[in-house]
Amino acid sequence: MPNVNAYATPAATAPLAPLTIDRRTPGAHDVQIEILYCGVCHSDIHQARNEWGNSIYPMVPGHEIVGRVTAVGDHVKSFKVGELAGIGCIVDSCRECEQCLDGEEQFCQNGMVGTYNGVGKDGKPTYGGYSTQIVVDEKYTLHVSEKLDIKGVAPLLCAGITTYSPLRYWNVTKGQKVAIVGLGGLGHMGVKLAAAFGAEVTVLSTSDSKEADAKRLGATHFVNSKNEEKMAGLAGSFDFILNTVSAPNSYDRLLGLLKTNGTMVLVGAPPEPSQVMGFSLIMRRRSLAGSLIGGIKETQEMLDFCAEHNITSDVEVIPMDKINEAYERMMKGDVKYRFVIDMQSLK
Ligand code: NAP
Ligand code: ZN
Ligand code: ZN
C-alpha cells in the first residue's frame, strides 16, 4: 500500500499539520492520480472544525482535485496514464438507488461516499485532496481539458458544480435578473456562470472592496448588502437569488428582493439554524430552496461547458504549509477568489 504525504486536522480545535496516509493499490476499476492542485473550499473549514457535527479525525480535507493519471486498473476504459483527471466531492455511492441511476449521486439514498470525512465501502475513512496522490473508481473520476489552466480548473470540481447545478435546474437564462449573495469561492463562480447563461447579475456583498472585481467577473451591478437603503431599493427585483454565504444571514431580508414567483436557493451552509417568516414566501408565492453540489454526469457537463467557454476560477496559489493562514483569511472573506494548493509543495 503506497504511503502518501498529506496534511490533516487531528482535532476540531487543532491546526492542520503533516500526516502520512495509506492509499489503496489501484483495483481493476480504479484510477490512480498524482494530485497537482487542490482548491480550498469553505466546507473544508466547516468540517475541519466540526462545525457540522459529523467530523471524523484525523481529517485530510480537499475535494477540488486536479492531477495526472499515473496508473489505471485492468478494467478501466476511459482513462489512460498521463491524462488529466479531476475528483470532486463524491468518490462512491450505492449505484443502485433511484438517484444514483438518475446520475444524482449526491442524493444517493444509501449515502454517497464523500471524498473526505466519509467512509468507503471498504469500511475505511476517506482522505481528500490535501495530499499528493488519490485512487478513485473511474465512474467517479472526471475528464479535464488540456485547454484550460488547471490551477483555475480545480475549484470547478466543487465551487463550479455547486453553482452550475442550481442555475441549470432553475433554468436561469437570458433576460433574467439574478443576485449572487457573497463573493467568495462559490459566489465568484456563480457570477461567471450566471453571466455566461445570459442573466443580468447583481452581486450582494459585505465587502465594498470587491466591487471592481464583481464587474470584471461579469456582474452588471454591485450592492453593499450592509446598506439598508440600497437593499430596500432592490425590493421585488430578482427572478433568482443564489445565496453562497457561509455564516448566518437574514433570509427574510433577501427573500424580500425576489419578484413574484422568484426563488432563492441556498448553497451556503452555515451551521446555525435560521428563522424564516412565512409571510416572506406567502405574499408573492416565493420559494426558498437548497442545492447540494451536483452529480458526476452534470459535473462533467459543467467541466466541458467551462472548457468550451474558457471559464476558470480566479485563484491565489499557496504552498501546503500556508493552509492555516488561508483558513483565517477565508474567515474574514479575504480571498480572491479561491485558494488553490500547489501540491508540489508537499513532495
Ligand atoms: P468563501 O469563499 O469563504 O465565501 C463566502 C463568502 O460569504 C465570503 O467571501 C463573504 O462574501 C460572505 N460572507 C462571509 N461571512 C459573511 C457574513 N457573516 N455575512 C455576510 N456575508 C458573509 O466560502 P465558499 O467556499 O464560497 O463556501 C460558501 C458556503 O457554501 C460555505 O458554507 C460552504 O460550506 C458552502 N458550500 C456548499 C456546497 C453545497 O453543495 N451546497 C458546496 C460547497 C460549499 P462578501 O465578502 O462578498 O460578503
Ligand atoms: Zn466544497
Ligand atoms: Zn445510491
Side-chain angles (χ1 to χ4, degrees), residues 252-299:
D252 285 321
R253 198 164 161 256
L254 293 166
L255 287 166
L257 309 187
L258 287 171
K259 291 180 184 174
T260 301
N261 296 326
T263 301
M264 176 159 81
V265 173
L266 305 178
V267 285
E272 300 80 3
S274 309
Q275 281 194 327
V276 176
M277 184 75 185
F279 280 115
S280 302
L281 302 168
I282 290 168
M283 294 310 286
R284 283 189 175 226
R285 199 164 53 203
R286 293 165 171 136
S287 302
L288 176 62
S291 186
L292 175 67
I293 47 173
I296 297 298
K297 186 162 161 258
E298 193 175 40
T299 304

Side-chain angles (χ1 to χ4, degrees), residues 17-39:
L19 180 77
T20 303
I21 56 170
D22 287 335
R23 293 289 195 196
R24 66 176 183 261
T25 306
H29 298 278
D30 284 338
V31 178
Q32 185 189 59
I33 299 162
E34 178 200 4
I35 300 177
L36 298 174
Y37 293 99
C38 181

Side-chain angles (χ1 to χ4, degrees), residues 41-43 46 52 158 162 182-187 205-207 210 244-248 267-270 291-293 330 333 335 338:
C41 178
H42 206 110
S43 301
H46 290 311
W52 292 337
C158 176
T162 301
L183 197 63
L186 265 55
S205 166
T206 58
S207 313
K210 295 180 182 175
T244 76
V245 178
S246 52
V267 285
S291 186
L292 175 67
I293 47 173
M330 282 171 76
V335 50
R338 196 57 136 188

Side-chain angles (χ1 to χ4, degrees), residues 23-265:
R23 293 289 195 196
R24 66 176 183 261
T25 306
H29 298 278
D30 284 338
V31 178
Q32 185 189 59
I33 299 162
E34 178 200 4
I35 300 177
L36 298 174
Y37 293 99
C38 181
V40 181
C41 178
H42 206 110
S43 301
D44 299 352
I45 304 180
H46 290 311
Q47 295 186 89
R49 299 181 175 177
N50 197 22
E51 290 173 1
W52 292 337
N54 64 345
S55 295
I56 306 168
Y57 298 103
M59 181 190 303
V60 178
H63 56 206
E64 294 185 336
I65 299 167
V66 169
R68 282 210 185 266
V69 176
T70 46
V72 294
D74 289 346
H75 293 163
V76 169
K77 291 192 183 74
S78 58
F79 289 89
K80 290 197 182 71
V81 170
E83 283 179 351
L84 287 174
I87 303 295
C89 306
I90 311 172
V91 290
D92 211 343
S93 63
C94 85
R95 310 176 188 207
E96 288 169 355
C97 74
E98 199 185 326
Q99 276 67 35
C100 283
L101 295 176
D102 271 358
E104 296 208 300
E105 299 87 351
Q106 75 275 31
F107 303 129
C108 174
Q109 286 171 21
N110 298 301
M112 65 134 170
V113 179
T115 303
Y116 69 88
N117 198 34
V119 178
K121 286 185 181 156
D122 56 4
K124 294 188 180 154
T126 55
Y127 294 127
Y130 298 3
S131 58
T132 54
Q133 189 244 70
I134 192 165
V135 179
V136 178
D137 189 304
E138 73 166 324
K139 207 171 155 47
Y140 299 83
T141 305
L142 285 310
H143 291 277
V144 170
S145 165
E146 297 277 353
K147 235 175 83 181
L148 298 175
D149 178 358
I150 56 168
K151 296 191 262 315
V153 170
L156 302 181
L157 275 306
C158 176
I161 184 60
T162 301
T163 49
Y164 182 94
S165 184
L167 291 169
R168 281 293 194 223
Y169 185 83
W170 275 275
N171 294 316
V172 167
T173 51
K174 199 170 167 55
Q176 290 191 329
K177 294 195 169 160
V178 169
I180 306 290
V181 192
L183 197 63
L186 265 55
H188 93 292
M189 288 313 307
V191 172
K192 290 190 184 205
L193 292 167
F197 297 168
E200 182 183 309
V201 179
T202 300
V203 167
L204 304 179
S205 166
T206 58
S207 313
D208 269 333
S209 61
K210 295 180 182 175
E211 177 163 2
D213 284 339
K215 292 187 176 158
R216 177 180 55 78
L217 294 165
T220 308
H221 312 282
F222 177 94
V223 171
N224 186 329
S225 53
K226 291 191 279 196
N227 185 325
E228 292 299 341
E229 209 177 308
K230 290 224 168 109
M231 289 291 276
L234 294 175
S237 61
F238 297 111
D239 297 284
F240 185 83
I241 299 177
L242 189 64
N243 186 334
T244 76
V245 178
S246 52
N249 60 103
S250 166
Y251 297 158
D252 285 321
R253 198 164 161 256
L254 293 166
L255 287 166
L257 309 187
L258 287 171
K259 291 180 184 174
T260 301
N261 296 326
T263 301
M264 176 159 81
V265 173

